[in-house]
Amino acid sequence: MVLSRLQTGLARWRSEPPPHARFGTAFLAPPPPPKVLAASEVPRVAWMLATRWRHAAALAAVPAGRGGAVMVLPGLFDADGSSLVLRRFLRRLGYRAEGWGLGRNLGVKSVGVEAERLIARVAALHAEAGPVTLVGISLGGIMARLVAHRRPDLVARVVTVSSPYAGGGRATNVWRAFEWATGERVDDPAVIARSEAIAAPLPVPCTAIWSPRDGFVNGFICRDPSAEAVEVTSGHLGVHIHPEVLIAIAGALAGDAVAQDR
C-alpha cells in the first residue's frame, strides 16, 4: 500500500507541476523534488552508465551540425573535466567545443558577481571564432543566461540543461550546497533580483532541456514559455552524458529542437 501510494505520488509529480509552480508574474517558489526522487539519483545514474552502450548506434547516427563555437559551462562543483564526453561528442559533429577555463564552478567565486570573468572568456572565444553558443549544465545554464543578457552580441544561442533558472533556490534539494560553495544566500535580495533578471526572456534564441524526473531541482522551473523546451527522462546526476540529453543538445544546436509546454 505504501509503495503504491509512493509510486502514484511520483507519477503525479512527474506528469504535472504543482499549482504554484506554474508560470506567473512573480518569481516562482515551488517545492523541491520529493526526497525519494533525490535518493534515487545515484542508482539511476549508475544504471544509465551501465546501459549506455545500448545507445551507441543512436549517438553515432546523429548528423553533423552547423559548426561554430560552443562553450560548455559546468554545473556546481564541476570543472571542465566533467564535460569531456559532451565536448568530444560535439567536436565529432563539427563544432569547436571548448570548456570555460575557470576551474570548478563555485558560482560568483568563479565567474564574478556580474559574470565578468566568464564574459571575458566568452569574448576571447568570440574574437577567434565568432558568436558563441553557450551550453550550460545546471548552475552553468543560469550563468549562460546571465552572459546572454549582459552581452547578447557575443552569444549565438543558449542551451540550458537541467538549469533551475525560472524559480527560487529553495525549489531545489541542493540550495544549502549552493550557499556553502558560493558564499551567497538564496534569500538575499540581491541574489533574488539577479535571479529574476536571469529568468527574463533572453534576447537570443534559447533551448531549455529539462526533466520532470530530476531529483535535485524542480524540473518545472528549468524552462519557461519564452524558450524552446525539450523534455527528457534523465535524472540530474550525469545529465550531461545521458545519451538522450546529448541527442537533445545536438538537435538544439542544429535548430531541430521541438518546442513543448508552451
Side-chain angles (χ1 to χ4, degrees):
M1 180 67 71
V2 174
L3 179 59
S4 176
R5 288 180 178 177
L6 178 59
Q7 291 173 333
T8 300
L10 287 178
R12 185 175 301 165
W13 169 269
R14 293 169 178 172
S15 65
E16 62 180 22
H20 55 295
R22 299 187 187 279
F23 295 97
T25 57
F27 196 53
L28 302 179
K35 297 300 183 185
V36 67
L37 200 57
S40 72
E41 283 283 344
V42 172
R44 282 192 291 160
V45 73
W47 176 254
M48 182 269 290
L49 291 172
T51 59
R52 200 169 182 275
W53 59 272
R54 296 179 180 177
H55 305 276
L59 290 170
V62 175
R66 297 180 175 181
V70 178
M71 180 179 288
V72 181
L73 281 53
L76 182 65
F77 296 121
D78 284 338
D80 285 335
S82 66
S83 65
L84 284 173
V85 171
L86 172 56
R87 285 186 282 132
R88 188 178 299 120
F89 173 70
L90 294 179
R91 286 169 184 159
R92 180 177 67 77
L93 299 182
Y95 297 99
R96 176 177 173 176
E98 306 285 350
W100 75 340
L102 293 173
R104 291 194 178 277
N105 189 343
L106 301 178
V108 296
K109 293 179 181 178
S110 299
V111 303
V113 175
E114 291 300 321
E116 59 272 14
R117 296 175 200 147
L118 177 55
I119 289 173
R121 296 290 299 175
V122 176
L125 182 55
H126 178 277
E128 295 180 4
V132 181
T133 293
L134 300 176
V135 177
I137 313 301
S138 193
L139 178 59
I142 294 173
M143 294 173 169
R145 289 182 62 92
L146 180 58
V147 173
H149 275 300
R150 296 290 188 267
R151 292 295 306 273
D153 56 305
L154 301 176
V155 180
R157 171 181 286 273
V158 169
V159 179
T160 60
V161 181
S162 298
S163 300
Y165 65 85
R170 293 186 187 275
T172 78
N173 285 314
V174 293
W175 64 269
R176 290 182 180 85
F178 170 86
E179 291 189 336
W180 179 82
T182 67
E184 293 194 306
R185 307 287 295 181
V186 296
D187 295 332
D188 186 316
V191 173
I192 293 174
R194 187 177 68 226
S195 298
E196 289 177 334
I198 290 170
L202 287 177
V204 301
C206 177
T207 300
I209 298 171
W210 72 286
S211 172
R213 295 168 173 81
D214 196 310
F216 283 0
V217 305
N218 187 316
F220 298 107
I221 61 165
C222 292
R223 81 286 187 275
D224 73 285
S226 70
E228 289 182 312
V230 179
E231 181 179 342
V232 294
T233 59
S234 173
H236 198 87
L237 288 178
V239 65
H240 51 290
I241 59 174
H242 193 290
E244 184 182 355
V245 174
L246 294 180
I247 293 170
I249 291 173
L253 297 185
D256 298 333
V258 178
Q260 300 178 25
D261 309 311
R262 292 269 183 163

